[in-house]
Amino acid sequence: MSAAVLEASPASARTPRGLVRTVLRLHRGALWIWLAFVTATAGFLLWLLGPGAEPAQRKLAVYGYAGLLMADSPATEFSDLFYYPDTLITVASFAIALFAGGPLIARELESGTAQLAWTQSVSPARWLATALAVPAAFIVLGTTLLTVLYQQLWSTHSDLLIAGIAPRSLYFSLGPATVAAPLLGLALGALIGLTARRTLPALAFSGFAYFLVYAFRGNHWPFQGRYQQPELSSRSRAITSAGTEIRDPGCYVDKACLAKHDVVRFTREYLPSPDYWPRQLLETGVLLALTGVAVALAFGILRRRAATG
């Protein structure tokens, strides 16, 4: 099928625009899957921003942080759901690495589609550049949208999260590094695909390589540091009927205590960390630098392969 696509449009493949169209046609299935993933995840984030948070928000307003810890509190379920998009984005990064190592690169070399393109006035370098640039554009657009929505969700409803290491991990994982990570997966997958030149080995090695990257990011500064302390600082306040903000008196569900302190509602927030942007920018820089190295090595391997026939 891949060869048939190129054979059917030899003239168009000679132009940059025609080569882009060819890549889109060859991998339109993966493109539709990516668009469906971004749409579904964005819809889930919007639901969490709106109606999904309302029951937990009411508990917080009436009982304060104690309301979030009740055994039957909807906040417990909301707190769990809050982290699902982060898991989905991580899984998508693995899938991108597998796609790049398998169908995007190794399968085209294994089936001879890439070599066919090179005989139609498409240089190997231009073929690889287009094969990487097209999915990279969709990856950047999709992950940027999801990161912006996730940041908005954090700004609006992070007060509903149960305290612990999980909010801190999520806080440091949302930012430009969220966009850079799947780009590294794309570059690593392409490098491994060019090295293995066979689909199944490329899939296996690409998944393992990105797993190592993910594990390293989770345990070393300045990366996400899932297992590092301390927790994010939070501040809980009670609001009196006069609109005065006081410290949370710790009444929990004791209505007499609430009446004694004239508390009508509660607020809570996670305080920003001063090392968020230094860590995010440094992590993003490291990930982009590694991406550049992987891309440069991929082009070097391709150049040697083309030179030896």
Side-chain angles (χ1 to χ4, degrees):
M1 175 182 171
S2 297
V5 170
L6 283 172
E7 288 172 346
S9 55
S12 63
R14 296 173 186 172
T15 66
R17 185 175 299 178
L19 190 55
V20 169
R21 284 199 299 267
T22 300
V23 172
L24 290 174
R25 292 176 65 186
L26 284 171
H27 303 291
R28 59 185 177 273
L31 172 60
W32 282 114
I33 292 173
W34 174 250
L35 292 177
F37 163 77
V38 172
T39 301
T41 307
F44 185 51
L45 287 167
L46 290 172
W47 179 79
L48 290 174
L49 268 166
E54 289 176 0
Q57 196 72 60
R58 287 196 294 268
K59 280 287 187 181
L60 174 65
V62 174
Y63 299 112
Y65 184 58
L68 305 181
L69 301 177
M70 294 177 182
D72 61 343
S73 174
T76 303
E77 180 182 358
F78 179 82
S79 187
D80 292 337
L81 293 175
F82 201 100
Y83 301 104
Y84 284 2
D86 182 47
T87 302
L88 292 174
I89 292 172
T90 300
V91 171
S93 297
F94 274 99
I96 288 167
L98 293 175
F99 166 70
L104 185 65
I105 299 297
R107 189 184 68 182
E108 304 306 308
L109 292 171
E110 187 176 13
S111 65
T113 305
Q115 293 85 337
L116 178 60
W118 303 345
T119 64
Q120 298 178 343
S121 301
V122 176
S123 68
R126 201 174 87 188
W127 166 79
L128 180 58
T130 305
L132 292 177
V134 172
F138 284 98
I139 290 167
V140 169
L141 290 174
T143 52
T144 298
L145 171 63
L146 296 180
T147 302
V148 170
L149 288 175
Y150 220 156
Q151 283 279 12
Q152 183 60 41
L153 178 62
W154 173 271
S155 300
T156 307
H157 292 310
S158 62
D159 55 344
L160 302 177
L161 296 179
I162 306 301
I165 195 61
R168 180 184 187 278
S169 172
L170 182 65
Y171 175 76
F172 280 106
S173 70
L174 296 177
T178 313
V179 180
L183 290 178
L184 176 57
L186 179 69
L188 282 175
L191 174 62
I192 292 170
L194 284 165
T195 304
R197 294 183 290 179
R198 297 184 62 186
T199 306
L200 291 180
L203 286 170
F205 285 121
S206 296
F208 180 69
Y210 196 79
F211 170 78
L212 293 179
V213 171
Y214 178 78
F216 186 86
R217 290 180 68 206
N219 290 281
H220 297 82
W221 194 93
F223 304 116
Q224 294 176 22
R226 290 175 179 80
Y227 310 112
Q228 298 177 19
Q229 294 289 343
E231 300 174 3
L232 284 178
S233 299
S234 62
R235 180 174 62 190
S236 296
R237 290 290 185 267
I239 310 298
T240 67
S241 60
T244 304
E245 185 178 283
I246 63 174
R247 290 179 62 88
D248 187 343
C251 292
Y252 297 93
V253 296
D254 187 340
K255 293 184 179 180
C257 176
L258 294 174
K260 176 183 177 181
H261 291 88
D262 192 26
V263 172
V264 295
R265 65 185 178 88
F266 290 87
T267 64
R268 179 174 178 264
E269 63 177 330
Y270 278 103
L271 302 178
S273 173
D275 63 338
Y276 171 80
W277 278 111
R279 288 176 54 144
Q280 271 291 319
L281 294 177
L282 184 54
E283 179 178 10
T284 303
V286 171
L287 292 174
L288 290 178
L290 292 174
T291 300
V293 170
V295 170
L297 289 173
F299 274 97
I301 291 173
L302 179 65
R303 188 163 48 247
R304 287 197 298 272
R305 174 176 171 79
T308 59

